[in-house]
Amino acid sequence: MKTLFKPLLACLITAGALAAPQALAADIKPRIIRFGYGLAEDSNQGRAVKLFADEVAKRSGGKLKVKGFGSASLGNDVQMQNALIGGAQEMMVGSTATLVGVEKDFGVYDLPFLFANEKEADTVLDGPFGQKLIARLPAKGLVGLTYWENGFRNVTNTKRPITRFEDFQGIKLRVMQNPVYIDMFNSFGANAVPLAFAELFTALETRAVDGQENPVNTIQSSKFYEVQKYLSVTKHVYSPWVMTASKKWWDGLSRDEQKILQDAALASRTFERKDSRAEAMRSVKFLTQQGMKINMVSDAELKRMRDKAKPAFDKFAANGGAEVLKELQGALGQLRK
Ligand code: TK8
């Protein structure tokens, strides 16, 4: 009986799969997925969330509905992380820098002048190093799906162009809520003020701070050009975003549902990086047209900044980051061989 039944069942499954592959095979329930992010809907982040939502809808026959909530309307990065861990929100994308409260080693990406270009960043983030860091998240209540590009960060302020680190002297500079940034800019002579991104525009507008640092895409999409005069191209840090899901919620999904989300996340990664890079090429011109004064910082001065930031490296290593820093430098060394 058993031996007869098995091939018959296999035949039925094959026939069924041929007739209606999705409907029969996939275990998908109707679900609404709240997906929060910090930037405006009309930003590289917003466009990629929309692409992700469309991909998930397509791959799930419309059953999984991703609802994007931009401009930190569900909370800033840190608040959303906590909501995911607690199971009060399903998904988000945000900076790896603000994940340090959850997993300290993510701070390694914030050390200045590590990645030489986007290609290095892609290879390391998508390769064993980046995936190993992501694999630490489930133990902390999060599931990391993929990295997106935030991009190389540049400095804006209202006081003066930054041409060398001495120009940071006395500038009140908003940084992300992350100790590496605080140490780095303080070592340049700035007065680093950690602040959530959601509060940044107002802080710049009211002159509570003089400046900030972010990729050109964000300077454009968050309209910082309205309240900032100087943009200095320092590319001091390559900043990743990471897409995460609540582990509590994720564990209740079927394998099919998880696979749809994971596949759609990878599709969104390809789109997001391409879109962000194309936009970054146009942003500099746009920002000039808006009246920003833009200067490039020379390689020699960037090297001086790098040397000056050594205390940030030392402190990161001394506070338990030595291993992860060595691994990242090792991965970069492999690439450059
Ligand atoms: C958006 C932030 C932003 C980051 C920052 O929520 O805070 O400056 O660059 O992209 O994650």
Side-chain angles (χ1 to χ4, degrees):
M1 174 68 191
K2 235 181 174 179
T3 39
L4 265 180
F5 183 69
K6 258 195 185 160
L8 179 65
L9 188 66
C11 272
L12 284 174
I13 289 173
T14 316
L18 285 176
Q22 287 248 313
L24 257 192
D27 173 11
I28 313 169
K29 291 199 178 64
R31 297 179 193 270
I32 299 209
I33 303 167
R34 285 162 299 177
F35 190 118
Y37 58 100
L39 300 194
E41 228 175 275
D42 181 18
S43 67
N44 52 339
Q45 204 176 43
R47 289 190 293 275
V49 172
K50 176 150 193 323
L51 184 284
F52 175 71
D54 291 346
E55 284 293 321
V56 171
K58 214 162 63 190
R59 289 160 195 260
S60 66
K63 285 188 181 166
L64 301 180
K65 285 196 176 64
V66 175
K67 286 193 67 166
F69 292 87
S71 302
S73 56
L74 295 182
N76 64 40
D77 284 5
V78 173
Q79 291 165 332
M80 288 196 286
Q81 283 156 20
N82 290 333
L84 260 58
I85 292 168
Q89 180 184 326
E90 290 77 34
M91 294 188 75
M92 69 172 285
V93 66
S95 184
T96 50
T98 37
L99 260 185
V100 292
V102 176
E103 169 56 58
K104 227 159 86 178
D105 279 356
F106 273 95
V108 75
Y109 294 130
D110 304 306
L111 291 163
F113 307 110
L114 285 175
F115 295 105
N117 51 51
E118 287 89 353
K119 186 153 186 290
E120 279 193 359
D122 292 355
T123 311
V124 170
L125 293 168
D126 303 343
F129 179 86
Q131 298 313 303
K132 192 172 155 190
L133 266 193
I134 272 190
R136 302 253 183 87
L137 289 174
K140 310 285 166 101
L142 296 172
V143 175
L145 282 97
T146 188
Y147 293 102
W148 284 357
E149 171 157 301
N150 187 354
F152 279 104
R153 304 180 78 89
N154 301 301
V155 184
T156 69
N157 82 98
T158 51
K159 297 271 189 204
R160 62 188 86 99
I162 306 295
T163 60
R164 29 181 218 145
F165 73 74
E166 287 87 346
D167 296 323
F168 279 107
Q169 195 60 47
I171 288 180
K172 260 188 155 180
L173 192 82
R174 175 272 175 178
V175 294
M176 291 188 278
Q177 296 136 299
N178 170 299
V180 175
Y181 280 93
I182 301 172
D183 294 340
M184 172 179 13
F185 286 103
N186 285 342
S187 73
F188 295 158
N191 178 2
V193 184
L195 199 67
F197 185 84
E199 289 155 47
L200 180 51
F201 188 89
T202 307
L204 293 170
E205 193 177 32
T206 59
R207 303 281 173 109
V209 293
D210 304 314
Q212 64 86 42
E213 44 83 57
N214 253 299
V216 285
N217 308 62
T218 300
I219 297 166
Q220 174 170 348
S221 63
S222 294
K223 300 192 164 61
F224 292 158
Y225 54 84
E226 290 181 355
V227 288
Q228 295 279 274
K229 182 148 179 75
Y230 301 103
L231 163 58
S232 305
V233 179
T234 48
K235 293 190 163 190
H236 50 276
V237 173
Y238 177 89
S239 213
W241 279 323
V242 61
M243 188 197 287
T244 49
S246 159
K247 173 132 192 326
K248 265 193 181 164
W249 169 74
W250 181 265
D251 287 346
L253 300 178
S254 72
R255 282 195 189 267
D256 291 328
E257 291 168 332
Q258 290 176 349
K259 181 161 188 332
I260 287 169
L261 294 170
Q262 187 64 69
D263 290 348
L266 292 185
S268 74
R269 176 180 83 187
T270 308
F271 167 84
E272 196 272 345
R273 287 179 180 161
K274 201 162 158 232
D275 178 58
S276 294
R277 285 163 197 174
E279 182 185 51
M281 307 271 277
R282 298 188 302 265
S283 281
V284 174
K285 189 167 165 218
F286 173 87
L287 295 171
T288 312
Q289 285 165 349
Q290 302 309 308
M292 288 196 94
K293 298 271 174 265
I294 304 181
N295 69 289
M296 311 296 287
V297 182
S298 73
D299 286 346
E301 289 301 328
L302 294 175
K303 169 141 195 329
R304 284 181 72 231
M305 284 184 196
R306 198 202 146 113
D307 294 344
K308 192 78 184 165
K310 191 161 179 300
F313 279 82
D314 293 345
K315 201 164 148 195
F316 180 79
N319 287 339
E323 189 62 32
V324 72
L325 175 57
K326 213 176 86 201
E327 281 177 27
L328 176 52
Q329 283 170 331
L332 285 168
Q334 275 309 108
L335 274 185
R336 290 169 189 166
K337 261 193 191 154

PDB file of all heavy atoms in Angstrom, residues 234-264:
ATOM      1  N   THR A 234      33.923  64.794   1.238  1.00  0.00           N
ATOM      2  CA  THR A 234      34.942  64.109   2.036  1.00  0.00           C
ATOM      3  C   THR A 234      34.874  62.591   1.856  1.00  0.00           C
ATOM      4  O   THR A 234      35.860  61.906   2.085  1.00  0.00           O
ATOM      5  CB  THR A 234      34.735  64.411   3.528  1.00  0.00           C
ATOM      6  OG1 THR A 234      33.349  64.208   3.821  1.00  0.00           O
ATOM      7  CG2 THR A 234      35.115  65.840   3.867  1.00  0.00           C
ATOM      8  N   LYS A 235      33.691  62.084   1.531  1.00  0.00           N
ATOM      9  CA  LYS A 235      33.478  60.628   1.419  1.00  0.00           C
ATOM     10  C   LYS A 235      34.121  59.890   2.600  1.00  0.00           C
ATOM     11  O   LYS A 235      34.768  58.853   2.417  1.00  0.00           O
ATOM     12  CB  LYS A 235      34.077  60.109   0.104  1.00  0.00           C
ATOM     13  CG  LYS A 235      33.362  60.626  -1.134  1.00  0.00           C
ATOM     14  CD  LYS A 235      33.865  59.880  -2.349  1.00  0.00           C
ATOM     15  CE  LYS A 235      32.956  60.012  -3.541  1.00  0.00           C
ATOM     16  NZ  LYS A 235      33.324  59.110  -4.632  1.00  0.00           N
ATOM     17  N   HIS A 236      33.935  60.427   3.792  1.00  0.00           N
ATOM     18  CA  HIS A 236      34.678  59.885   4.948  1.00  0.00           C
ATOM     19  C   HIS A 236      34.242  58.494   5.377  1.00  0.00           C
ATOM     20  O   HIS A 236      35.026  57.748   5.934  1.00  0.00           O
ATOM     21  CB  HIS A 236      34.629  60.866   6.125  1.00  0.00           C
ATOM     22  CG  HIS A 236      33.253  61.346   6.450  1.00  0.00           C
ATOM     23  ND1 HIS A 236      32.675  62.400   5.787  1.00  0.00           N
ATOM     24  CD2 HIS A 236      32.344  60.905   7.345  1.00  0.00           C
ATOM     25  CE1 HIS A 236      31.446  62.584   6.277  1.00  0.00           C
ATOM     26  NE2 HIS A 236      31.222  61.696   7.214  1.00  0.00           N
ATOM     27  N   VAL A 237      32.970  58.150   5.143  1.00  0.00           N
ATOM     28  CA  VAL A 237      32.505  56.802   5.508  1.00  0.00           C
ATOM     29  C   VAL A 237      31.572  56.301   4.418  1.00  0.00           C
ATOM     30  O   VAL A 237      30.740  57.056   3.914  1.00  0.00           O
ATOM     31  CB  VAL A 237      31.711  56.808   6.848  1.00  0.00           C
ATOM     32  CG1 VAL A 237      31.094  55.433   7.128  1.00  0.00           C
ATOM     33  CG2 VAL A 237      32.588  57.209   8.024  1.00  0.00           C
ATOM     34  N   TYR A 238      31.688  55.023   4.081  1.00  0.00           N
ATOM     35  CA  TYR A 238      30.673  54.373   3.245  1.00  0.00           C
ATOM     36  C   TYR A 238      29.630  53.793   4.179  1.00  0.00           C
ATOM     37  O   TYR A 238      29.916  52.936   5.018  1.00  0.00           O
ATOM     38  CB  TYR A 238      31.257  53.247   2.389  1.00  0.00           C
ATOM     39  CG  TYR A 238      30.165  52.558   1.593  1.00  0.00           C
ATOM     40  CD1 TYR A 238      29.802  53.012   0.339  1.00  0.00           C
ATOM     41  CD2 TYR A 238      29.452  51.488   2.143  1.00  0.00           C
ATOM     42  CE1 TYR A 238      28.769  52.419  -0.373  1.00  0.00           C
ATOM     43  CE2 TYR A 238      28.406  50.888   1.427  1.00  0.00           C
ATOM     44  CZ  TYR A 238      28.078  51.364   0.174  1.00  0.00           C
ATOM     45  OH  TYR A 238      27.038  50.785  -0.526  1.00  0.00           O
ATOM     46  N   SER A 239      28.413  54.272   4.039  1.00  0.00           N
ATOM     47  CA  SER A 239      27.347  53.912   4.973  1.00  0.00           C
ATOM     48  C   SER A 239      26.361  52.938   4.342  1.00  0.00           C
ATOM     49  O   SER A 239      25.763  53.252   3.320  1.00  0.00           O
ATOM     50  CB  SER A 239      26.622  55.220   5.296  1.00  0.00           C
ATOM     51  OG  SER A 239      26.137  55.288   6.570  1.00  0.00           O
ATOM     52  N   PRO A 240      26.200  51.749   4.934  1.00  0.00           N
ATOM     53  CA  PRO A 240      25.168  50.851   4.413  1.00  0.00           C
ATOM     54  C   PRO A 240      23.824  51.074   5.128  1.00  0.00           C
ATOM     55  O   PRO A 240      23.790  51.552   6.261  1.00  0.00           O
ATOM     56  CB  PRO A 240      25.689  49.451   4.763  1.00  0.00           C
ATOM     57  CG  PRO A 240      26.995  49.633   5.478  1.00  0.00           C
ATOM     58  CD  PRO A 240      27.063  51.067   5.919  1.00  0.00           C
ATOM     59  N   TRP A 241      22.756  50.732   4.454  1.00  0.00           N
ATOM     60  CA  TRP A 241      21.476  50.543   5.128  1.00  0.00           C
ATOM     61  C   TRP A 241      21.273  49.036   5.221  1.00  0.00           C
ATOM     62  O   TRP A 241      21.833  48.270   4.420  1.00  0.00           O
ATOM     63  CB  TRP A 241      20.341  51.135   4.301  1.00  0.00           C
ATOM     64  CG  TRP A 241      20.167  52.612   4.436  1.00  0.00           C
ATOM     65  CD1 TRP A 241      20.317  53.372   5.560  1.00  0.00           C
ATOM     66  CD2 TRP A 241      19.776  53.523   3.393  1.00  0.00           C
ATOM     67  NE1 TRP A 241      20.045  54.687   5.273  1.00  0.00           N
ATOM     68  CE2 TRP A 241      19.710  54.809   3.960  1.00  0.00           C
ATOM     69  CE3 TRP A 241      19.459  53.375   2.028  1.00  0.00           C
ATOM     70  CZ2 TRP A 241      19.341  55.940   3.218  1.00  0.00           C
ATOM     71  CZ3 TRP A 241      19.094  54.499   1.293  1.00  0.00           C
ATOM     72  CH2 TRP A 241      19.044  55.764   1.884  1.00  0.00           C
ATOM     73  N   VAL A 242      20.468  48.612   6.175  1.00  0.00           N
ATOM     74  CA  VAL A 242      20.174  47.178   6.273  1.00  0.00           C
ATOM     75  C   VAL A 242      18.669  47.000   6.439  1.00  0.00           C
ATOM     76  O   VAL A 242      18.022  47.732   7.195  1.00  0.00           O
ATOM     77  CB  VAL A 242      20.999  46.517   7.412  1.00  0.00           C
ATOM     78  CG1 VAL A 242      20.694  47.114   8.776  1.00  0.00           C
ATOM     79  CG2 VAL A 242      20.819  45.013   7.434  1.00  0.00           C
ATOM     80  N   MET A 243      18.127  46.058   5.667  1.00  0.00           N
ATOM     81  CA  MET A 243      16.697  45.770   5.762  1.00  0.00           C
ATOM     82  C   MET A 243      16.503  44.675   6.806  1.00  0.00           C
ATOM     83  O   MET A 243      17.143  43.625   6.726  1.00  0.00           O
ATOM     84  CB  MET A 243      16.169  45.289   4.406  1.00  0.00           C
ATOM     85  CG  MET A 243      14.651  45.154   4.381  1.00  0.00           C
ATOM     86  SD  MET A 243      14.048  44.147   3.012  1.00  0.00           S
ATOM     87  CE  MET A 243      14.304  45.220   1.619  1.00  0.00           C
ATOM     88  N   THR A 244      15.646  44.938   7.775  1.00  0.00           N
ATOM     89  CA  THR A 244      15.443  43.947   8.826  1.00  0.00           C
ATOM     90  C   THR A 244      13.963  43.634   9.022  1.00  0.00           C
ATOM     91  O   THR A 244      13.093  44.423   8.654  1.00  0.00           O
ATOM     92  CB  THR A 244      16.030  44.429  10.177  1.00  0.00           C
ATOM     93  OG1 THR A 244      15.575  45.751  10.440  1.00  0.00           O
ATOM     94  CG2 THR A 244      17.542  44.396  10.185  1.00  0.00           C
ATOM     95  N   ALA A 245      13.727  42.460   9.617  1.00  0.00           N
ATOM     96  CA  ALA A 245      12.364  42.045   9.965  1.00  0.00           C
ATOM     97  C   ALA A 245      12.348  41.668  11.448  1.00  0.00           C
ATOM     98  O   ALA A 245      13.386  41.307  12.015  1.00  0.00           O
ATOM     99  CB  ALA A 245      11.959  40.843   9.116  1.00  0.00           C
ATOM    100  N   SER A 246      11.188  41.756  12.030  1.00  0.00           N
ATOM    101  CA  SER A 246      11.004  41.313  13.416  1.00  0.00           C
ATOM    102  C   SER A 246      11.140  39.799  13.469  1.00  0.00           C
ATOM    103  O   SER A 246      10.442  39.081  12.738  1.00  0.00           O
ATOM    104  CB  SER A 246       9.598  41.711  13.876  1.00  0.00           C
ATOM    105  OG  SER A 246       9.205  40.926  14.981  1.00  0.00           O
ATOM    106  N   LYS A 247      12.024  39.295  14.317  1.00  0.00           N
ATOM    107  CA  LYS A 247      12.208  37.838  14.393  1.00  0.00           C
ATOM    108  C   LYS A 247      10.943  37.159  14.929  1.00  0.00           C
ATOM    109  O   LYS A 247      10.540  36.105  14.444  1.00  0.00           O
ATOM    110  CB  LYS A 247      13.416  37.508  15.262  1.00  0.00           C
ATOM    111  CG  LYS A 247      13.574  36.013  15.532  1.00  0.00           C
ATOM    112  CD  LYS A 247      14.966  35.569  15.297  1.00  0.00           C
ATOM    113  CE  LYS A 247      15.164  34.065  15.248  1.00  0.00           C
ATOM    114  NZ  LYS A 247      14.325  33.250  16.108  1.00  0.00           N
ATOM    115  N   LYS A 248      10.338  37.803  15.912  1.00  0.00           N
ATOM    116  CA  LYS A 248       9.089  37.260  16.482  1.00  0.00           C
ATOM    117  C   LYS A 248       8.061  37.010  15.388  1.00  0.00           C
ATOM    118  O   LYS A 248       7.372  35.995  15.388  1.00  0.00           O
ATOM    119  CB  LYS A 248       8.493  38.290  17.452  1.00  0.00           C
ATOM    120  CG  LYS A 248       8.873  38.085  18.884  1.00  0.00           C
ATOM    121  CD  LYS A 248       8.010  38.940  19.789  1.00  0.00           C
ATOM    122  CE  LYS A 248       8.449  38.730  21.224  1.00  0.00           C
ATOM    123  NZ  LYS A 248       7.929  39.784  22.111  1.00  0.00           N
ATOM    124  N   TRP A 249       7.956  37.983  14.483  1.00  0.00           N
ATOM    125  CA  TRP A 249       6.976  37.889  13.396  1.00  0.00           C
ATOM    126  C   TRP A 249       7.459  36.911  12.326  1.00  0.00           C
ATOM    127  O   TRP A 249       6.713  36.051  11.862  1.00  0.00           O
ATOM    128  CB  TRP A 249       6.771  39.293  12.812  1.00  0.00           C
ATOM    129  CG  TRP A 249       6.010  39.336  11.546  1.00  0.00           C
ATOM    130  CD1 TRP A 249       4.655  39.156  11.400  1.00  0.00           C
ATOM    131  CD2 TRP A 249       6.536  39.561  10.232  1.00  0.00           C
ATOM    132  NE1 TRP A 249       4.324  39.273  10.068  1.00  0.00           N
ATOM    133  CE2 TRP A 249       5.447  39.518   9.338  1.00  0.00           C
ATOM    134  CE3 TRP A 249       7.816  39.813   9.728  1.00  0.00           C
ATOM    135  CZ2 TRP A 249       5.604  39.706   7.963  1.00  0.00           C
ATOM    136  CZ3 TRP A 249       7.975  39.999   8.370  1.00  0.00           C
ATOM    137  CH2 TRP A 249       6.884  39.935   7.496  1.00  0.00           C
ATOM    138  N   TRP A 250       8.716  37.006  11.966  1.00  0.00           N
ATOM    139  CA  TRP A 250       9.324  36.179  10.907  1.00  0.00           C
ATOM    140  C   TRP A 250       9.159  34.688  11.203  1.00  0.00           C
ATOM    141  O   TRP A 250       8.862  33.888  10.315  1.00  0.00           O
ATOM    142  CB  TRP A 250      10.792  36.551  10.799  1.00  0.00           C
ATOM    143  CG  TRP A 250      11.582  35.838   9.746  1.00  0.00           C
ATOM    144  CD1 TRP A 250      12.344  34.722   9.920  1.00  0.00           C
ATOM    145  CD2 TRP A 250      11.694  36.199   8.363  1.00  0.00           C
ATOM    146  NE1 TRP A 250      12.942  34.371   8.725  1.00  0.00           N
ATOM    147  CE2 TRP A 250      12.553  35.264   7.762  1.00  0.00           C
ATOM    148  CE3 TRP A 250      11.166  37.226   7.577  1.00  0.00           C
ATOM    149  CZ2 TRP A 250      12.895  35.315   6.405  1.00  0.00           C
ATOM    150  CZ3 TRP A 250      11.512  37.277   6.228  1.00  0.00           C
ATOM    151  CH2 TRP A 250      12.351  36.328   5.656  1.00  0.00           C
ATOM    152  N   ASP A 251       9.337  34.320  12.459  1.00  0.00           N
ATOM    153  CA  ASP A 251       9.246  32.911  12.840  1.00  0.00           C
ATOM    154  C   ASP A 251       7.843  32.339  12.639  1.00  0.00           C
ATOM    155  O   ASP A 251       7.669  31.119  12.575  1.00  0.00           O
ATOM    156  CB  ASP A 251       9.683  32.723  14.297  1.00  0.00           C
ATOM    157  CG  ASP A 251      11.198  32.876  14.450  1.00  0.00           C
ATOM    158  OD1 ASP A 251      11.904  32.859  13.418  1.00  0.00           O
ATOM    159  OD2 ASP A 251      11.660  33.020  15.604  1.00  0.00           O
ATOM    160  N   GLY A 252       6.862  33.214  12.554  1.00  0.00           N
ATOM    161  CA  GLY A 252       5.493  32.739  12.328  1.00  0.00           C
ATOM    162  C   GLY A 252       5.127  32.642  10.847  1.00  0.00           C
ATOM    163  O   GLY A 252       4.009  32.259  10.507  1.00  0.00           O
ATOM    164  N   LEU A 253       6.062  32.992   9.979  1.00  0.00           N
ATOM    165  CA  LEU A 253       5.781  32.921   8.536  1.00  0.00           C
ATOM    166  C   LEU A 253       6.085  31.521   8.011  1.00  0.00           C
ATOM    167  O   LEU A 253       6.927  30.810   8.563  1.00  0.00           O
ATOM    168  CB  LEU A 253       6.658  33.927   7.775  1.00  0.00           C
ATOM    169  CG  LEU A 253       6.513  35.410   8.130  1.00  0.00           C
ATOM    170  CD1 LEU A 253       7.497  36.232   7.304  1.00  0.00           C
ATOM    171  CD2 LEU A 253       5.093  35.898   7.899  1.00  0.00           C
ATOM    172  N   SER A 254       5.427  31.155   6.916  1.00  0.00           N
ATOM    173  CA  SER A 254       5.750  29.877   6.279  1.00  0.00           C
ATOM    174  C   SER A 254       7.062  30.033   5.527  1.00  0.00           C
ATOM    175  O   SER A 254       7.501  31.148   5.247  1.00  0.00           O
ATOM    176  CB  SER A 254       4.643  29.473   5.306  1.00  0.00           C
ATOM    177  OG  SER A 254       4.688  30.314   4.161  1.00  0.00           O
ATOM    178  N   ARG A 255       7.641  28.909   5.155  1.00  0.00           N
ATOM    179  CA  ARG A 255       8.888  28.951   4.378  1.00  0.00           C
ATOM    180  C   ARG A 255       8.690  29.659   3.050  1.00  0.00           C
ATOM    181  O   ARG A 255       9.570  30.386   2.580  1.00  0.00           O
ATOM    182  CB  ARG A 255       9.402  27.534   4.119  1.00  0.00           C
ATOM    183  CG  ARG A 255      10.067  26.989   5.321  1.00  0.00           C
ATOM    184  CD  ARG A 255      10.899  25.759   5.053  1.00  0.00           C
ATOM    185  NE  ARG A 255      11.279  25.252   6.365  1.00  0.00           N
ATOM    186  CZ  ARG A 255      12.407  25.573   6.977  1.00  0.00           C
ATOM    187  NH1 ARG A 255      13.270  26.357   6.384  1.00  0.00           N
ATOM    188  NH2 ARG A 255      12.676  25.113   8.172  1.00  0.00           N
ATOM    189  N   ASP A 256       7.537  29.439   2.450  1.00  0.00           N
ATOM    190  CA  ASP A 256       7.253  30.101   1.168  1.00  0.00           C
ATOM    191  C   ASP A 256       7.215  31.612   1.351  1.00  0.00           C
ATOM    192  O   ASP A 256       7.743  32.366   0.531  1.00  0.00           O
ATOM    193  CB  ASP A 256       5.911  29.616   0.603  1.00  0.00           C
ATOM    194  CG  ASP A 256       5.967  28.164   0.146  1.00  0.00           C
ATOM    195  OD1 ASP A 256       7.048  27.741  -0.309  1.00  0.00           O
ATOM    196  OD2 ASP A 256       4.941  27.469   0.242  1.00  0.00           O
ATOM    197  N   GLU A 257       6.575  32.044   2.410  1.00  0.00           N
ATOM    198  CA  GLU A 257       6.479  33.486   2.659  1.00  0.00           C
ATOM    199  C   GLU A 257       7.867  34.087   2.918  1.00  0.00           C
ATOM    200  O   GLU A 257       8.217  35.138   2.385  1.00  0.00           O
ATOM    201  CB  GLU A 257       5.546  33.747   3.850  1.00  0.00           C
ATOM    202  CG  GLU A 257       4.094  33.430   3.536  1.00  0.00           C
ATOM    203  CD  GLU A 257       3.198  33.394   4.765  1.00  0.00           C
ATOM    204  OE1 GLU A 257       3.695  33.088   5.887  1.00  0.00           O
ATOM    205  OE2 GLU A 257       1.995  33.666   4.625  1.00  0.00           O
ATOM    206  N   GLN A 258       8.646  33.378   3.700  1.00  0.00           N
ATOM    207  CA  GLN A 258      10.010  33.859   3.982  1.00  0.00           C
ATOM    208  C   GLN A 258      10.822  33.960   2.697  1.00  0.00           C
ATOM    209  O   GLN A 258      11.564  34.912   2.486  1.00  0.00           O
ATOM    210  CB  GLN A 258      10.702  32.927   4.974  1.00  0.00           C
ATOM    211  CG  GLN A 258      10.115  33.016   6.381  1.00  0.00           C
ATOM    212  CD  GLN A 258      10.736  32.013   7.344  1.00  0.00           C
ATOM    213  OE1 GLN A 258      11.469  31.109   6.933  1.00  0.00           O
ATOM    214  NE2 GLN A 258      10.418  32.157   8.626  1.00  0.00           N
ATOM    215  N   LYS A 259      10.642  32.973   1.835  1.00  0.00           N
ATOM    216  CA  LYS A 259      11.422  32.964   0.595  1.00  0.00           C
ATOM    217  C   LYS A 259      11.020  34.133  -0.308  1.00  0.00           C
ATOM    218  O   LYS A 259      11.869  34.784  -0.924  1.00  0.00           O
ATOM    219  CB  LYS A 259      11.255  31.625  -0.134  1.00  0.00           C
ATOM    220  CG  LYS A 259      12.060  31.579  -1.413  1.00  0.00           C
ATOM    221  CD  LYS A 259      12.295  30.176  -1.897  1.00  0.00           C
ATOM    222  CE  LYS A 259      13.252  30.072  -3.074  1.00  0.00           C
ATOM    223  NZ  LYS A 259      13.351  31.182  -3.986  1.00  0.00           N
ATOM    224  N   ILE A 260       9.728  34.391  -0.376  1.00  0.00           N
ATOM    225  CA  ILE A 260       9.252  35.528  -1.187  1.00  0.00           C
ATOM    226  C   ILE A 260       9.889  36.818  -0.685  1.00  0.00           C
ATOM    227  O   ILE A 260      10.399  37.630  -1.470  1.00  0.00           O
ATOM    228  CB  ILE A 260       7.714  35.613  -1.133  1.00  0.00           C
ATOM    229  CG1 ILE A 260       7.104  34.477  -1.957  1.00  0.00           C
ATOM    230  CG2 ILE A 260       7.219  36.978  -1.621  1.00  0.00           C
ATOM    231  CD1 ILE A 260       5.610  34.290  -1.762  1.00  0.00           C
ATOM    232  N   LEU A 261       9.890  37.021   0.621  1.00  0.00           N
ATOM    233  CA  LEU A 261      10.454  38.256   1.189  1.00  0.00           C
ATOM    234  C   LEU A 261      11.956  38.324   0.944  1.00  0.00           C
ATOM    235  O   LEU A 261      12.491  39.367   0.580  1.00  0.00           O
ATOM    236  CB  LEU A 261      10.140  38.340   2.691  1.00  0.00           C
ATOM    237  CG  LEU A 261       8.643  38.499   3.012  1.00  0.00           C
ATOM    238  CD1 LEU A 261       8.395  38.324   4.499  1.00  0.00           C
ATOM    239  CD2 LEU A 261       8.131  39.858   2.546  1.00  0.00           C
ATOM    240  N   GLN A 262      12.627  37.196   1.120  1.00  0.00           N
ATOM    241  CA  GLN A 262      14.073  37.181   0.906  1.00  0.00           C
ATOM    242  C   GLN A 262      14.418  37.454  -0.565  1.00  0.00           C
ATOM    243  O   GLN A 262      15.307  38.253  -0.859  1.00  0.00           O
ATOM    244  CB  GLN A 262      14.637  35.822   1.361  1.00  0.00           C
ATOM    245  CG  GLN A 262      16.142  35.741   1.348  1.00  0.00           C
ATOM    246  CD  GLN A 262      16.810  36.708   2.331  1.00  0.00           C
ATOM    247  OE1 GLN A 262      16.708  36.546   3.543  1.00  0.00           O
ATOM    248  NE2 GLN A 262      17.473  37.736   1.813  1.00  0.00           N
ATOM    249  N   ASP A 263      13.690  36.828  -1.477  1.00  0.00           N
ATOM    250  CA  ASP A 263      13.959  37.040  -2.910  1.00  0.00           C
ATOM    251  C   ASP A 263      13.650  38.483  -3.313  1.00  0.00           C
ATOM    252  O   ASP A 263      14.394  39.097  -4.079  1.00  0.00           O
ATOM    253  CB  ASP A 263      13.123  36.075  -3.767  1.00  0.00           C
ATOM    254  CG  ASP A 263      13.598  34.635  -3.628  1.00  0.00           C
ATOM    255  OD1 ASP A 263      14.695  34.416  -3.061  1.00  0.00           O
ATOM    256  OD2 ASP A 263      12.868  33.719  -4.080  1.00  0.00           O
ATOM    257  N   ALA A 264      12.550  38.996  -2.807  1.00  0.00           N
ATOM    258  CA  ALA A 264      12.179  40.388  -3.140  1.00  0.00           C
ATOM    259  C   ALA A 264      13.211  41.359  -2.561  1.00  0.00           C
ATOM    260  O   ALA A 264      13.523  42.380  -3.172  1.00  0.00           O
ATOM    261  CB  ALA A 264      10.788  40.704  -2.614  1.00  0.00           C
TER     262      ALA A 264
END
